Amino acid sequence: MKVELRHSSSESAQTIALERMADDACAFEAIIDDRLIPVDIESNDSGGGRMRIGGRVHRYHVLRRDNTLHVWVDGRTYQFERIQATARRAGAAGSAKSANQLAAPMPGTILKINGNAGDAFDAHAPIIVMESMKMEMSLSAPTNVVLTSVDCQVGQLVEMGLVLARLEPVADAE
Amino acid sequence: MFSKILIANRGEIAVRIMRTCQEMGIRCVAVYSDPDRRGMHVGAADEAYALDGVTSGETYLRQDKIIEIAKRCGADAIHPGFGFLSENASFAEACAKAGITFIGPKPDAIRSMGDKIIAKETLSKAGVPTVPGFTLEGDTASGDAVIKQLKKRCGEIGYPVLIKAAAGGGGKGMRVVNSEGEMSEALEAAQREANSAFGDSRVFVEKYLSKSRHVEIQVFGDTHGNVVHLFERECSIQRRHQKIVEESPSIALTPELRERMGAAAVAAAKAIGYVNAGTVEFMVDDVGEFYFLEVNTRLQVEHPVTELVTRRDLVKAQILVAAGEPLPFTQDDLRQEGCAMEVRIYAEDASRGFLPSTGTIGVYVEPVGPNIRVDSGIAAGSDVSVHYDPMLAKLIVWGRDRGEAIARMDRALREYVILGITTNIDFLRAVVTHPKHVAGEIHTRFLDENPIAMGNDDVPPDEAWIAGVLAAQSGGTRQTSRVGDESVEVGPWQTAGAWKAY
C-alpha cells in the first residue's frame, strides 16, 4: 500500500510504499524517496512491535486517531498526518487565518477579559486570561491591535481552538 | 489498627496509598468524581463511591460528602494524599468530630504551617534562618496604595522579589517580579491564582534567591514525642516553581551541612509539636547557607525518593503513627543509601510553551527493570481531563551513585511509551542528560539559564515513516496498556482488538 504522510513538527512530507513479500509473513519492502528498503516487521497484538532494517532493530508503538498518527520509535514520539486527496485541498484554504483572532490554545476556563470591542491593545498586552489545570495563562495581542469582538464570557469553559476574540492589527503611527 | 481507610484523593497518589493499605491488610475505599468514574484509583480500591460532580470544588474538595461516605462505609481513617484537602485544618477537625482519624498532623500544626506568614514567624522564633521579606497588610490587598507600599518595600530588599500566596503550595499563586513595572500585574495574577487554588488571596513577599538550590528535609513525628528526619531531597529543577526532577542525596550537602539542616528541621518540628510526615523546605545558597522556606504538612509528591534511599515505606509509617503507634524507626536506624531520582510525567507539550495536553491515552507502556519504580495514575483508555492537575505519573529510579541513577533514568524514560496525548517525557530526558545536570550544576533557575530546545524538527528516520504507515493501517479505537512485556488489565470499556500487519 502507498501512503502520503506529513510529519507535524518538521512539516516534511513523504510518500511511503510498504508491500509484503509473498513468501514470508514478516518480510516487507518499503520505498521511501525512491529508495528500496527491505524491512522485517513483527507486530504484537497490542499495536506495537519491532522492525529490523539491515540488522538494526527498532521498537515501535502506533496509535491512529482518524488521520492523526501517533508513532513511538526507539524512545521518541512522532506525530504524522495522513494526507488524503480531499484533505490536501482543504488544508491549503484552512491555514490562512488566525492572525486576526485569539483562539484558545488549550481547553480551559475564561478568567478575565481585559476590555470590550473597540478597545486598543499594545503588542504583548494581555487581552484574555484563562485557566487550565489550575494554572493561569494570558493570551496577548500579537501586535498593536483593536479588539473587534469578544466571543467568550468570563467563567465559560472553552474547547481548544475556539475563537475567543477577533482583532484588527493597527498600523504603527510612524 | 485501622480496618478500613478512605483515600480522599485521585490518580497516582491514591493508587500508591492503596498499595500500602493492602499490604497492611487494611481495606481501602476510593472516592471519585464523574470524570474519574473509570479512573485507576477506582480500580485499585476494595470499595469505591461516587462524589457526584465534575470539578474539584464539587468533588475532592467537598469535606461533607467525603466524611459522609466514610461514615456510611465504616472507614475508621481518611488519608488525604497531597493537594485537595491534605493541608486543610478544618477538614482534619471535621474528621475528628466525626470520629474518624485524619492521617496527618494535628489541625493546629496544619493551620499554623499552612499560613506561610505565621510559619515563617514561628520558625524564625525557633532559631531557624529565614529569607528576608515582608507581609502585605490587609486580607485582599489591592489598589494604588498597596502597590505603592509594595514598591517601596521591595526597593528596600532589592529585586528580584517573589510574591507568594500565604496559603500557597505547588507553585500556585507565586510570581517572580524582576522590576517595579511588573508589580501590579504580578500581584493581581498571584492573588487571583491563590484565590482560585486555595480560596485565600493573601500574599507575602520575599527576596528571590535566584541561584540557590531547593533542598528539603523529610521529618516524621509520632504521638510519643519522637521526631526524626529522613535526610534531604534536592528539588532544584523547577519550571514555574513546579518541581520536575527530585533527588536524594543532594550533592550540595556536606555531611556537616546535612547534619545541621536535619537538626534545624527536627527542631522546627519539635517547636510546633509535629506529628506524622512533614517536610521542611529550605533554600541553600552557593556558600552553603540555608534559609527556611516553608513546612509542608503532608506527604510530598516526591516522597518515593526518600523511600528508595532509606528503604522505608513512608505511607506505612504515616498509618502506624496515625493509629497511635510509635515511629517504626529511630534516627539511628535510618541510613541514606545510594542515589534516588524522580521525574514527574506531565500531560503538557514542551514544544508549545508547556500547554496542558488533554485527551485519551491510547498506548501506555511503563519501563521495567531493576531499581525502577513507576507511581502512575493512568493506563491505556484513561481520559486526561482539563479539571485536574496535569501530573500523570512519577518515574523513580535508584542507583548506587548519581551517575548510575541518571543513566538508569535516561534508559527508563527511553522505554516509557505514552501515545494519544502529549507528555513531557522527551523534555525530561533532555533535562536529565543535560551536561550541567549530569555535572550537578543545578539551581532553581537552571531551566531559565539552560533553555532546553524542544521541537523534534528533524526529518524523521526511515523507521519512523514506516511505523507511520503501520499506524495508518491500524484500527482507530484500540487501547493498549502494558508494563514491560506483560499485558496488564485493560478495562471493559476498551475494545481490545488485536491488529497485525496485513
Side-chain angles (χ1 to χ4, degrees), chain B residues 451-465:
Chain B
I452 308 278
M454 296 305 298
N456 197 2
D457 287 345
D458 299 340
V459 174
D462 291 343
E463 56 273 19
W465 292 106

Side-chain angles (χ1 to χ4, degrees), chain A residues 1 46 64-65 76 112 131, chain B residues 188 196 360 456 473-474:
Chain A
M1 82 168 296
S46 53
R64 181 170 74 80
R65 293 262 162 88
R76 294 193 71 177
K112 201 176 171 204
E131 181 196 71
Chain B
E188 216 183 299
S196 149
T360 306
N456 197 2
Q473 284 288 288
S474 67

Side-chain angles (χ1 to χ4, degrees), chain B residues 352-374:
Chain B
R352 292 180 63 220
F354 295 94
L355 286 179
S357 168
T358 57
T360 306
I361 292 170
V363 178
Y364 182 77
V365 184
E366 288 178 356
V368 289
N371 297 312
I372 288 178
R373 165 173 166 182
V374 180

